[in-house]
Amino acid sequence: MVVFSRRRRRSGGLRPSYRRWSDCGCRECVSWQAKEEQRLHFVIKEAFQDESEGGQKGSIENVMFIHGFLSSSSLWVETVFPNISETAHLNLLAVDLLGFGRSPKPMDCLYRLKDHLDMVEKSVIQPFYLQSFHLVAHSMGCIIALAFAAKHPKHIKSITLIAPPYFSSDEKASFTALNTLSGKKIWPPFLFVTAILTWYEHLGRTICFILCRNHVFWEWLLRLMTRNRDIHFLLIDLTRHTHHSAWHTMHNVICGEAKLLDSYLETVKREGISVKIIHGDKDQVIPLECSFKLKEKLPHAELQIIANTDHQTVILGREKDFTRELEEFWFSSIDCKRASKVA
């Protein structure tokens, strides 16, 4: 397989700067001001297929990965990509969502679900003419994956949801999601940071001014102090966003779309899309109860509870096992589709 990264094209000419005081001014963080149309950053691992073996392009399966809040495509590039079976004919594509990682972070955007979906379509789906693919999503990315499946159900072969934030769709769904996922807690650290960004905007901007606005300096300093050029990707991802992108994504995607999830699930259920739910039994970020409720809405879904794992270790620390589980599910869903067509 071949791995390569594609960044959106940059233009030398920038519009007048409207960077907020809490936003980073590095080249990647202000790239959205370029005159050229912006696209998301993504990483591809292409399947190698020897034509002498009689392989045909149509036999290759496409898989798109969507990360969660305060994360990036590195979650998949560092865990799944290195462990995928060489014999599996799979094209893997991991994207940095709008406002995170190496993707543009426009200030004039409200980071609604529609904004995220439109950018994924424009940056990945349309350029690569993806007509059918599997979806894998973690945490907040599960909401985007379900919305995408509801919008384009004929394109989706299967959906794998890892630690999905699901709440019953009622009038208080958004408030419930906000209090559950961004409660005023000081532990674990991820929830503390999320709470600050969500509830205390000015304090959140101050933290972003110290950390996120100067993420290039902190990355350089960590490398200098540890004498290690390879800083763990989780540390880097925590600061590669702006307060504007994080705050609006939290309120408009995670909380704002909570009341619409049931309508997405109805489409997934009606279309018979294969679904696998994976959750760690020690998850302190997304309650395990969310997956049980989701299973009730999708009786045909496969639910797998991983013992002694939390929101991150449900993937990290068990990369090989996790990748094998994904592969087995992808190919079993393909077999089920073929069987249903024959029947």
Side-chain angles (χ1 to χ4, degrees), residues 229-279:
R229 296 182 62 85
D230 297 322
I231 305 173
H232 198 282
F233 67 89
L234 288 181
L235 290 176
I236 294 177
D237 288 345
L238 279 175
T239 60
R240 283 201 170 179
H241 62 84
T242 64
H243 182 271
H244 185 73
S245 64
W247 193 87
H248 282 288
T249 297
M250 166 61 73
H251 286 272
N252 293 335
V253 175
I254 300 179
C255 301
E257 293 297 315
K259 60 186 177 182
L260 300 176
L261 278 178
D262 278 354
S263 63
Y264 302 151
L265 296 175
E266 284 298 323
T267 302
V268 171
K269 181 180 178 181
R270 183 176 64 250
E271 296 294 331
I273 300 173
S274 298
V275 179
K276 181 181 180 71
I277 306 168
I278 303 176
H279 213 129

Side-chain angles (χ1 to χ4, degrees), residues 85-278:
S85 299
E86 291 296 332
T87 56
H89 298 307
L90 297 167
N91 285 335
L92 310 181
L93 196 152
V95 63
D96 282 1
L97 292 174
L98 185 66
F100 298 91
R102 297 181 180 179
S103 285
K105 303 168 181 64
M107 192 204 71
D108 55 352
C109 176
L110 293 178
Y111 294 91
R112 301 163 299 177
L113 180 64
K114 181 180 183 301
D115 297 321
H116 288 287
L117 292 179
D118 289 347
M119 282 298 288
V120 172
E121 291 175 348
K122 183 174 69 173
S123 305
V124 179
I125 305 301
Q126 295 171 4
F128 288 93
Y129 303 101
L130 293 183
Q131 296 301 313
S132 64
F133 52 93
H134 303 268
L135 275 174
V136 180
H138 177 242
S139 193
M140 178 197 75
C142 296
I143 299 174
I144 297 175
L146 288 171
F148 197 93
K151 185 177 180 180
H152 304 286
K154 303 302 181 183
H155 293 225
I156 310 302
K157 288 190 172 183
S158 74
I159 309 174
T160 303
L161 305 172
I162 302 124
Y166 170 73
F167 302 92
S168 299
S169 297
D170 53 35
E171 294 181 356
K172 297 182 179 180
S174 297
F175 184 74
T176 301
L178 184 64
N179 275 300
T180 303
L181 304 180
S182 299
K184 299 177 182 180
K185 302 177 182 178
I186 60 173
W187 194 263
F190 180 85
L191 285 184
F192 175 68
V193 173
T194 303
I196 293 296
L197 292 174
T198 304
W199 294 96
Y200 307 102
E201 183 174 2
H202 293 292
L203 184 57
R205 287 195 177 279
T206 302
I207 293 176
C208 281
F209 176 75
I210 298 171
L211 297 177
C212 304
R213 188 179 188 275
N214 303 290
H215 69 87
V216 175
F217 169 75
W218 294 118
E219 291 170 20
W220 171 83
L221 186 61
L222 280 174
R223 291 188 177 95
L224 181 65
M225 293 176 62
T226 61
R227 297 183 180 179
N228 186 358
R229 296 182 62 85
D230 297 322
I231 305 173
H232 198 282
F233 67 89
L234 288 181
L235 290 176
I236 294 177
D237 288 345
L238 279 175
T239 60
R240 283 201 170 179
H241 62 84
T242 64
H243 182 271
H244 185 73
S245 64
W247 193 87
H248 282 288
T249 297
M250 166 61 73
H251 286 272
N252 293 335
V253 175
I254 300 179
C255 301
E257 293 297 315
K259 60 186 177 182
L260 300 176
L261 278 178
D262 278 354
S263 63
Y264 302 151
L265 296 175
E266 284 298 323
T267 302
V268 171
K269 181 180 178 181
R270 183 176 64 250
E271 296 294 331
I273 300 173
S274 298
V275 179
K276 181 181 180 71
I277 306 168
I278 303 176

Side-chain angles (χ1 to χ4, degrees), residues 58-86:
S59 64
I60 295 179
E61 295 292 321
N62 300 304
V63 186
M64 183 164 68
F65 296 83
I66 304 176
H67 64 78
F69 190 62
L70 302 186
S71 186
S72 77
S73 57
S74 297
L75 174 65
W76 313 110
V77 174
E78 299 291 337
T79 58
V80 177
F81 283 29
N83 293 292
I84 207 73
S85 299
E86 291 296 332

